[in-house]
Amino acid sequence: MVTINENYLKLKAGYLFPEIARRVRVFTESNPDAPIIKLGIGDVTEPLPEACRTAMIKAVEDMGDRATFKGYGPEQGYAWLREKIASQDFQARGCKIDASEIFVSDGGKCDTGNILDIFGKGNTIAVTDPVYPVYVDTNVMAGHTGPVNDKGEYEGLFYLPITAENHFTAKIPDRPVDLIYLCFPNNPTGATASKADLKAWVDYARANGSVILFDAAYEAFITDPELPHSIYEIEGARECAIEFRSFSKNAGFTGTRCAYTVVPKSLKVTASDGAEVTLHQLWNRRQSTKFNGVSYLVQRGAEAVYSPEGQSQVQGLIKFYLENAQIIRQKLSNAGLTVYGGVHAPYIWVKTPQGLSSWDFFDKLLNLCYVVGTPGSGFGAAGEGYFRISAFNSRENVEEAMSRITANFKV
């Protein structure tokens, strides 16, 4: 008889974003003419930078000539892209990251889940609450948790509440944990972490033999020069942290698919037989076996991000979305709603008005305003009573959505 991975049966009924899509589909079937504006998932709307498009067109032409044709590429990514990443994203900020420590992939979401392949089942895993659901669900799928309780928390996970009271920065655990998921600028709250905040985590990880899984997918939206863009700006992070980054939000690659993960060669753990093992070695083996690499065309497009033209165009995109975020913050604040985030991140974290639950507010926004956002409770128990609004959309849609919301929810 065929058996299945029954850990999947522990998952809550429907991943957050498919559930949102289901509710929107049901509403649309009954209201086919409703002009819905979607400010829910973090999908970009503006075109790829011209520099990236031009590079990809040239790459297509390369594929039409035997002399420049490319077949299988290196699973870790082409050296010319990895070197640009190392130089401009890390070394320029004083981070001692070598190109050989960078692994190009088809998405940060994929890598944050796939990284579990190189870790065992006996680890204590800490996640923030609220949290990007992928961190939790992939651990459930891998059999690292028990069942879910009535609050939506899984047995076996160590939850770190991030709330307005602690400025959405998690408190250091009062006991040792093994794997720690951190995301700054934070999804969903939009909060940032200072160098002092990250230093406290690095010091804790080194003292306890922990590994930090640091998601920096939104680092490009940081405008304060005092805020760190990478955990490797903190001394000692090379010995305790893996960092995930993506071209999705800064350069609009959500549909093009390119990201990368940094695994320092100095990051070591001890195997059950007492042998010292580098996680770089394990991740390299995993990628070489299970991944065929990102296409040549896409990697040429990503390389163009680092050209002078690409840098200028990417900064234009980031500025555009941050201006959207500022409009959302200002309009909702003027209407009397309590808002957080949206300054160094493309997400605005809104306290639901009138004592509404997260999903009740979702339904009211959809039915009264024809606007779609993301219920905070979908990110964890501590997200109940909050709502995430994304700045990824056209200026016209953002302004129209704010006009509809403030007309219906003035406090």
Side-chain angles (χ1 to χ4, degrees):
M1 182 178 70
V2 173
T3 62
I4 61 170
N5 179 355
E6 297 198 3
N7 292 304
Y8 279 69
L9 304 181
K10 300 177 190 174
L11 293 168
K12 288 179 287 186
Y15 177 57
L16 173 61
F17 299 112
E19 173 60 17
I20 290 173
R22 186 194 68 80
R23 293 191 183 209
V24 172
R25 184 175 64 253
V26 169
F27 176 81
T28 303
E29 288 171 354
S30 300
N31 303 272
D33 298 324
I36 293 175
I37 297 174
K38 296 181 179 180
L39 299 175
I41 64 173
D43 195 5
V44 297
T45 57
E46 303 309 293
L48 282 176
E50 182 180 359
C52 300
R53 302 196 308 269
T54 300
M56 293 174 76
I57 290 169
K58 171 62 168 59
V60 171
E61 294 172 349
D62 289 347
M63 300 297 276
D65 185 329
R66 179 174 290 169
T68 52
F69 174 80
K70 296 292 187 296
Y72 287 125
E75 294 91 351
Q76 301 80 4
Y78 285 99
W80 34 262
L81 175 55
R82 298 166 83 193
E83 287 164 1
K84 291 277 176 58
I85 292 169
S87 172
Q88 297 195 36
D89 286 348
F90 295 100
Q91 294 164 11
R93 292 188 174 277
C95 306
K96 296 178 181 179
I97 296 298
D98 186 76
S100 64
E101 298 174 313
I102 292 164
F103 296 80
V104 178
S105 74
D106 58 354
K109 174 182 176 181
C110 306
D111 283 357
T112 58
N114 291 333
I115 199 72
L116 295 176
D117 281 5
I118 68 173
F119 292 105
K121 293 186 180 295
N123 294 307
T124 302
I125 298 161
V127 296
T128 60
D129 181 11
V131 65
Y132 181 42
V134 172
Y135 309 155
V136 171
D137 286 359
T138 52
N139 273 287
V140 176
M141 294 171 178
H144 298 168
T145 74
V148 66
N149 64 23
D150 293 339
K151 293 200 304 179
E153 298 172 335
Y154 285 93
E155 293 179 11
L157 293 183
F158 188 86
Y159 288 89
L160 304 167
I162 52 175
T163 64
E165 289 68 31
N166 63 17
H167 305 289
F168 301 104
T169 56
K171 180 182 176 182
I172 300 292
D174 56 6
R175 64 184 180 87
V177 297
D178 300 310
L179 298 181
I180 305 161
Y181 286 85
L182 296 179
C183 174
F184 290 107
N186 185 253
N187 178 15
T189 69
T192 55
S194 68
K195 288 185 178 179
D197 292 330
L198 294 188
K199 183 179 186 304
W201 279 108
V202 168
D203 290 347
Y204 169 87
R206 295 184 71 189
N208 291 278
S210 311
V211 173
I212 297 170
L213 303 176
F214 190 75
D215 189 343
Y218 302 97
E219 60 79 27
F221 292 87
I222 295 173
T223 57
D224 184 343
E226 296 301 313
L227 292 174
H229 287 246
S230 168
I231 198 165
Y232 301 120
E233 293 179 46
I234 310 303
E235 185 178 356
R238 282 185 53 90
E239 283 71 51
C240 65
I242 293 172
E243 183 164 305
F244 306 92
R245 289 208 192 182
S246 173
F247 294 97
S248 286
K249 304 306 194 294
N250 63 342
F253 274 50
T254 55
T256 308
R257 309 310 304 149
C258 196
Y260 62 88
T261 291
V262 182
V263 187
K265 293 178 180 177
S266 50
L267 177 50
K268 301 175 182 179
V269 297
T270 303
S272 59
D273 63 0
E276 195 172 60
V277 179
T278 65
L279 291 182
H280 181 279
Q281 164 195 345
L282 300 184
W283 185 243
N284 186 59
R285 186 69 172 86
R286 189 269 173 205
Q287 292 298 83
S288 298
T289 301
K290 289 190 173 184
F291 186 56
N292 265 343
V294 175
S295 79
Y296 172 72
L297 312 182
V298 169
Q299 290 192 63
R300 281 299 187 192
E303 181 194 28
V305 167
Y306 298 98
S307 68
E309 299 81 6
Q311 287 288 286
S312 175
Q313 292 158 17
V314 165
Q315 287 304 312
L317 287 175
I318 293 167
K319 181 175 182 288
F320 175 81
Y321 291 126
L322 283 176
E323 287 173 350
N324 278 354
Q326 183 179 20
I327 291 169
I328 295 169
R329 278 181 57 91
Q330 181 178 350
K331 295 293 186 182
L332 296 183
S333 295
N334 290 347
L337 277 71
T338 302
V339 299
Y340 305 93
V343 177
H344 302 291
Y347 298 125
I348 296 82
W349 191 239
V350 185
K351 182 69 178 173
T352 56
Q354 305 164 10
L356 292 170
S357 73
S358 296
W359 278 108
D360 284 345
F361 188 54
F362 173 91
D363 289 335
K364 281 187 173 292
L365 276 188
L366 179 58
N367 285 274
L368 295 178
C369 308
Y370 306 149
V371 173
V372 177
T374 311
S377 59
F379 297 101
E384 179 52 75
Y386 289 91
F387 199 80
R388 193 191 76 175
I389 295 180
S390 168
F392 291 119
N393 214 306
S394 68
R395 184 63 45 79
E396 179 183 6
N397 279 349
V398 165
E399 290 179 341
E400 174 61 21
M402 292 306 103
S403 176
R404 295 179 194 175
I405 293 172
T406 55
N408 283 278
F409 289 98
K410 286 189 177 181
V411 177

